[in-house]
Amino acid sequence: AQSVTQPDIHITVSEGASLELRCNYSYGATPYLFWYVQSPGQGLQLLLKYFSGDTLVQGIKGFEAEFKRSQSSFNLRKPSVHWSDAAEYFCAVGHYNNNDMRFGAGTRLTVKP
Amino acid sequence: IAGITQAPTSQILAAGRRMTLRCTQDMRHNAMYWYRQDLGLGLRLIHYSNTAGTTGKGEVPDGYSVSRANTDDFPLTLASAVPSQTSVYFCASSDSIGNSPLHFGNGTRLTVT
């Protein structure tokens, strides 16, 4: 079965600084990849997804992610972080149906003023 | 506002008691899911339903049951709660099983004492 590793449990960045959250996956075929964001007390919201095509995908709130097959990675980036980006971020990998989707353990982002 | 409604928001439950977590969606999505979220483990799929009248087991189904009598409702039942079922439970839906984005409710925080 597929699996996802998010190596960073907690990251702190200053407001206005760039951000990169790491995600590595394990899957034998071409994966479907997702990033979700969770604000405190809320459910998860989709930021972006990759199914095929251009390996650099754009999402909501100024986020982007790049699929690198050779590195089995799907890192999330943002050029300039805002205080409202403080949240928990989850990477997920799936196959052709959502019943197989696996989530990473999450990375909590703190934004310093 | 369209979306997923979960009830209750939180609950403290004595071990051995029966509990049903409610989930209702008004988006007419075919597929629905129950996840549990535990610190350090991310989200793990408990049960899913690809369409009304069908259900399936996810990654961690033991101790839980579900039913899908109609499109909108997908209750999760703990027949005899145990402390290891203390968790935050999220209901989600998607308009197809083919890796379309998941829409999440705001979760139910359950504590089993």
Side-chain angles (χ1 to χ4, degrees), chain B residues 36 38 62-64 77-89 110-112:
Chain B
R36 60 178 289 173
D38 302 289
D62 294 343
Y64 306 94
T77 297
L78 290 67
S80 179
V82 295
S84 62
Q85 292 177 310
T86 294
S87 187
V88 181
Y89 291 86
L110 180 66
T111 302
V112 182

Side-chain angles (χ1 to χ4, degrees), chain A residues 89-104:
Chain A
Y89 292 80
F90 292 92
C91 182
V93 60
H95 187 39
Y96 60 89
N97 71 69
N98 286 338
N99 304 335
D100 296 333
M101 190 176 297
R102 293 290 186 266
F103 286 81

Side-chain angles (χ1 to χ4, degrees), chain B residues 5 13 61 69 75 78 88 92 96:
Chain B
T5 302
L13 186 68
L78 290 67
V88 181
S96 75

Side-chain angles (χ1 to χ4, degrees), chain A residues 32 38 51 90 95 97-99, chain B residues 33 37 50 97 99-100 105:
Chain A
Y32 295 108
Q38 183 183 32
F51 287 175
F90 292 92
H95 187 39
N97 71 69
N98 286 338
N99 304 335
Chain B
Y33 314 85
Q37 182 180 25
N50 290 337
I97 65 170
N99 274 303
S100 55

Side-chain angles (χ1 to χ4, degrees), chain A residues 29-101:
Chain A
T30 300
Y32 295 108
L33 296 160
F34 307 82
W35 275 100
Y36 286 85
V37 60
Q38 183 183 32
S39 298
Q42 303 293 313
L44 279 69
Q45 179 186 18
L46 180 71
L47 282 176
L48 48 79
K49 61 183 186 288
Y50 171 79
F51 287 175
S52 64
D54 193 346
T55 56
L56 183 64
V57 294
Q58 303 297 320
I60 62 172
K61 304 183 180 185
F63 285 91
E64 65 178 26
E66 186 171 11
F67 170 57
K68 292 184 177 181
R69 185 187 299 276
S70 62
Q71 299 177 19
S72 297
S73 69
F74 190 56
N75 294 349
L76 182 71
R77 301 194 295 249
K78 186 169 185 179
S80 177
V81 169
H82 188 263
W83 64 266
S84 60
D85 293 324
E88 184 117 22
Y89 292 80
F90 292 92
C91 182
V93 60
H95 187 39
Y96 60 89
N97 71 69
N98 286 338
N99 304 335
D100 296 333
M101 190 176 297

Side-chain angles (χ1 to χ4, degrees), chain B residues 39-104:
Chain B
L39 191 64
L41 297 176
L43 279 78
R44 293 178 293 169
L45 183 63
I46 303 171
H47 284 288
Y48 63 88
S49 170
N50 290 337
T51 188
T54 69
T55 62
K57 294 181 178 180
E59 189 182 358
V60 289
D62 294 343
Y64 306 94
S65 63
V66 292
S67 62
R68 187 89 183 275
N70 56 62
T71 297
D72 298 341
D73 300 300
F74 191 44
L76 176 73
T77 297
L78 290 67
S80 179
V82 295
S84 62
Q85 292 177 310
T86 294
S87 187
V88 181
Y89 291 86
F90 286 97
C91 181
S93 71
S94 62
D95 62 5
S96 75
I97 65 170
N99 274 303
S100 55
L102 298 177
H103 297 258
F104 285 85

Side-chain angles (χ1 to χ4, degrees), chain B residues 9-23:
Chain B
T9 303
S10 65
Q11 182 75 45
I12 299 174
L13 186 68
R17 298 298 295 269
R18 179 184 180 90
M19 174 76 189
T20 296
L21 308 185
R22 301 184 299 278
C23 174

